[in-house]
Amino acid sequence: MSIVVQNIERADASVADAFARFGVATVHEAQGRKGLMQPHVRPIYRRAHIAGTAVTVSVPPCDNWMLHVAVEQCQPGDILVVAPTSASDAGYFGELLASSLMARGVRGLIIDAGVRDVAELEVIGFPVWSKCISAQGTVKETLGSVNVPVVCAGQLVNPGDVIVADDDGVCVVTRAEAADVLAKSAAREDKEAAVRKRLQAGELGLDIYAMRDRLKAKGLAYIDAANRD
Amino acid sequence: MSIVVQNIERADASVADAFARFGVATVHEAQGRKGLMQPHVRPIYRRAHIAGTAVTVSVPPCDNWMLHVAVEQCQPGDILVVAPTSASDAGYFGELLASSLMARGVRGLIIDAGVRDVAELEVIGFPVWSKCISAQGTVKETLGSVNVPVVCAGQLVNPGDVIVADDDGVCVVTRAEAADVLAKSAAREDKEAAVRKRLQAGELGLDIYAMRDRLKAKGLAYIDAANRD
Amino acid sequence: MSIVVQNIERADASVADAFARFGVATVHEAQGRKGLMQPHVRPIYRRAHIAGTAVTVSVPPCDNWMLHVAVEQCQPGDILVVAPTSASDAGYFGELLASSLMARGVRGLIIDAGVRDVAELEVIGFPVWSKCISAQGTVKETLGSVNVPVVCAGQLVNPGDVIVADDDGVCVVTRAEAADVLAKSAAREDKEAAVRKRLQAGELGLDIYAMRDRLKAKGLAYIDAANRD
Amino acid sequence: MSIVVQNIERADASVADAFARFGVATVHEAQGRKGLMQPHVRPIYRRAHIAGTAVTVSVPPCDNWMLHVAVEQCQPGDILVVAPTSASDAGYFGELLASSLMARGVRGLIIDAGVRDVAELEVIGFPVWSKCISAQGTVKETLGSVNVPVVCAGQLVNPGDVIVADDDGVCVVTRAEAADVLAKSAAREDKEAAVRKRLQAGELGLDIYAMRDRLKAKGLAYIDAANRD
Amino acid sequence: MSIVVQNIERADASVADAFARFGVATVHEAQGRKGLMQPHVRPIYRRAHIAGTAVTVSVPPCDNWMLHVAVEQCQPGDILVVAPTSASDAGYFGELLASSLMARGVRGLIIDAGVRDVAELEVIGFPVWSKCISAQGTVKETLGSVNVPVVCAGQLVNPGDVIVADDDGVCVVTRAEAADVLAKSAAREDKEAAVRKRLQAGELGLDIYAMRDRLKAKGLAYIDAANRD
Amino acid sequence: MSIVVQNIERADASVADAFARFGVATVHEAQGRKGLMQPHVRPIYRRAHIAGTAVTVSVPPCDNWMLHVAVEQCQPGDILVVAPTSASDAGYFGELLASSLMARGVRGLIIDAGVRDVAELEVIGFPVWSKCISAQGTVKETLGSVNVPVVCAGQLVNPGDVIVADDDGVCVVTRAEAADVLAKSAAREDKEAAVRKRLQAGELGLDIYAMRDRLKAKGLAYIDAANRD
């Protein structure tokens, strides 16, 4: 059954927005190394960094009809997350749909399939993370669903979840955990800032993290090159 | 048998040149969603956008001898299209061959294999669309053919066909259809310009394209999130 | 057994440094078309070009503990070469480890696995050639080895070997052959400079390299397009 | 947090068992073309065909410790479903673990990673559907979870769901829908039996499914080869 | 435009049939190492070996409607060749369509996409060479064409061409060249039979093919292991 | 420089032969989880299981000339190990070369490239582990080397090393370590036999390997499904 779920509950906007201060690697670590999409989903241009709330779309392979349906469900601060029901490298999305989404305040697109008009998308500043770049046209024949749970690039995404995306990839934070993960992300960044200074000053991670004893206990041996065979 | 076909008939130069005004996605759609090479063929640098007439080369795997033969068959406005007879990621082409092609007015290279010297190629402004970037050297031992029909990245290319290439990929337009597809590309672009304005103003594709009735007829249901289980 | 080999013998620093004048394609050809890593190892940003001496690390899949051990073994002019013992696309390396390596004068990282913080790495100017970009976190549980021979992206690398990396990929030159290959690289570049000028002036490779007779002897036939059915 | 969820609710055993009469293609179609795992998950030997209830395991990359934990949670009629948190082709599972699972009445393993001892597994008759065959050993250092929702080869699997697997792949049926999908599978098979007889007798699908009018309406044209230029 | 070309000219049946005596490797070599499809197209079961005349189908991604149209165009001795217009791993074909094709005397299917019901297909003896095995269902919404030239797995196939398929893959022989290639295949096989006997008797290819002088001229050096450093 | 190294030192024949009693997984574990080739190298037919001494061949891409040279260097008990200098899926090897190798007592072929005549190879009982099956013909134009160190599917192989291959893949054991690894393989198998009996009797790995305390210490929590929200 093909459905459009309206009036979904979204993660708190102030929380979702605040994630844009943190990189995907930080958020992924802060929530216990989960939520990261597979690395084949890449940004079409570098230096984009967004956070927002997911509007999800389950689409048939090579059919982009439901994207038009999804636009209407978007509101400012959203990020569109599109997952085909079977693998496709067709170009579901281009500059016209981006114009439409920008008019509604949508911040970007995550799609486990192809995208086109990438030069224009960079010019107008609409970031996309996609499986590939492909001009291959799609049809408008078969229904899908909007705002149902989808698996996108190996991660379950529920409508309203927080999405964070940058040059390192895409991370999903569940609505329920968003505030907690945000706090942990900030804490992690603070801790890293302190470590960074010490590393830049020439201290070793071996000492900062006190690894030497555990390495020795595991049996790591130091040998002089001159003493090998 | 290895042959070099000379004096091929090319698509009309004014038509071929005019395609540079249109993106690959537009041309691909304008000719009925055909002619697009597989998306693994990617530009080595962004923002190149070329159109021209194909000089085709069928090469053995990891042997670039025929590229030297092909240079002589090129004239201003041509684009070299190279297809190995079995899969190869060797670096068939670099800056020296590019210098030679530029001296003859060739606009770029499409190759379903590897290319090298990519930093230099960007500096001198010779665009390449390739399967990969690889410095792997090739030999000069086995013949191939120039200006015979080739299958390059899944598309049949005949010598003299029009090639259009940009950040979205590579599209082939047959010589016979070039003028017609050019006209259709212009028409499509005009139509899209009108739609773009309406989308930017906030109108929905659902309304512009009058999709609502057909979606309903197919059975699309709208549900309120509050009413789900 | 997990070992850290200390005080390895490195290729002569003046020789290793001098390789930075030559591109990977040139070095690879100069040493007889060997030493090139597989082309899936790509730079995380363009225009980096480095040469230096290899400190090698054999790491377990998805475990980056040994990178911290390896940092201590590095000295100015080194390049870290990391090979997992089984395939992994985890993000072994980020900006903190880069800060630590930069503090020791290390010039870059080659890794047949994933890397993260790529935006920050470009900002601080620490180049990485990797299999993929991935924020996926790693653990610190299992030992590996430092400065043992490793196979990285299909190439055997011994500690102290010369590594050259640019936009075309990564090439390994053994310590024993480094001086000889350096001389050959310079010779090749001189020869190419002469050929380049002639090609730019419109001469053909067919004539410069005297290929016509051999092509004819192999049976290459020239046919006029008008005479094909 | 790493947890083992005990006493999960499973799909009704009589329902789960009954699915073994139907092929994966039938079940997938009967539930509306959903639930199919990605086709890279393949059986290690042909002609196995199983159905049962899922015990799910979320495992770290290249670490099979949690499989030992999961065994204890299995009961007769179960199928183990294993998903790594990041891509891995290590050999998580072999004949010893299979012996242990067989002793508990487990019917098979679905794993989006590698498996080993495949010759022995065929001899003892323990079927596995896996991403690859690999002898690569794993470690036992990092926790995961048992009987939590996992994404395996692109499909969400909840503990207690029905799994059907045969030479065509693996399909998931949610616990809630199992009885309904079972009935629909039977209905589909009955319908297909009738169609099969007519097709074998030489009737055409075009007529049986009354496709001719719709094809004509869409614009399909029949042309005689002799009339093509 | 979507068309069905009727009454195509086929390669002579006696010629097409006779190819079944020769393996794909023999035919591929006999016609000058051309015509071989890419190796990702594999048989769904071993030991099938067929030859026949191609009925070609160009299909949209994930839409198998045109297969039903194609069945009607088949006659005894044909082989169906199916190429999607963009990459797809959906399961276009199963046992029902096979039953229909068998009723018309069709010998097998070549498809650059997915197939399902593979256990049943082996039981009824209908061989398929495909890109993958996948139960993923397809739709019947968009037209394609029958008996037009298609590019299937990298090879151009014209309707009526000869197809030869065995465990080594799939080879295409053009209608025009079929008789000539058949003769050359037989000649090659005779020559190989003579060589085989000599090799089995312990003679070396080096001597049978008189390679030693040419190897020496190219510079091959024989060294005793004891004399290496 | 292209060389053929003659009279290589091989691992002791009685040791090499004895490895055939042990599976690849056992040997790989017994030597500390090293030596395993990448899992893309697969047997062309099931149930082959061989052990022997490596004769190595470094071949150019798509050129099988050196295989003929290598045959002469083989003696009974050898296994041919072939690595192309850049990636290739051509069919380097078929039934004629196999006949020649069988006449010399060679036990099988490991090749990180393609092979053809696979049906015939199974009939005559010559096992091959390869990257792919492909009928694509090769040339005989460029030299390579025999009995030099090669990297094959990610593993360094020196001439005379022991190769073990079965349905799980291919493992390399260095000549120096062969006797020791053989003893450890036997010990491992004995230990596994004891564990197998206990597992078959229903004991859990958790208890046999005494894992419960360490799992608890790491923080594994057991939760009842009824207590999850």
Side-chain angles (χ1 to χ4, degrees), chain C residues 2 56-70 80-88 90 92 109-114 138-139 142-151, chain D residues 62 136, chain F residues 33:
Chain C
S2 294
T56 62
V57 198
S58 171
V59 293
C62 306
D63 190 312
N64 80 340
W65 204 9
M66 294 310 287
L67 296 194
H68 291 274
V69 175
L80 205 60
V81 178
V82 178
T85 52
S86 94
S88 171
Y92 281 76
L109 167 73
I110 317 294
I111 181 166
D112 196 5
T138 52
V139 295
T142 307
L143 299 182
S145 290
V146 177
N147 280 332
V148 295
V150 296
V151 172
Chain D
C62 306
Q136 176 68 41
Chain F
R33 285 185 199 143

Side-chain angles (χ1 to χ4, degrees), chain C residues 44-194:
Chain C
I44 59 167
Y45 57 87
R46 287 294 180 90
R47 297 298 164 93
H49 185 168
I50 61 172
T53 42
V55 166
T56 62
V57 198
S58 171
V59 293
C62 306
D63 190 312
N64 80 340
W65 204 9
M66 294 310 287
L67 296 194
H68 291 274
V69 175
V71 171
E72 192 178 28
Q73 305 306 316
C74 292
Q75 61 184 47
D78 281 344
I79 293 174
L80 205 60
V81 178
V82 178
T85 52
S86 94
S88 171
D89 58 11
Y92 281 76
F93 184 91
E95 170 259 344
L96 285 185
L97 273 163
S99 295
S100 187
L101 287 173
M102 288 179 88
R104 297 185 82 79
V106 174
R107 293 181 177 154
L109 167 73
I110 317 294
I111 181 166
D112 196 5
V115 63
R116 60 189 190 180
D117 301 335
V118 294
E120 292 82 355
L121 290 172
E122 186 171 4
V123 168
I124 64 175
F126 189 85
V128 176
W129 285 254
S130 70
K131 185 172 105 182
C132 65
I133 293 169
S134 167
Q136 176 68 41
T138 52
V139 295
K140 289 173 183 58
E141 297 286 355
T142 307
L143 299 182
S145 290
V146 177
N147 280 332
V148 295
V150 296
V151 172
C152 184
Q155 284 299 333
L156 180 65
V157 184
N158 278 289
D161 283 350
V162 174
I163 301 292
V164 189
D166 66 10
D167 283 357
D168 285 348
V170 182
C171 193
V172 186
V173 181
T174 66
R175 190 161 54 87
E177 298 177 331
D180 181 49
V181 173
L182 183 64
K184 284 177 176 160
S185 298
R188 184 178 170 89
E189 197 144 285
D190 290 346
K191 204 182 81 183
E192 287 200 342

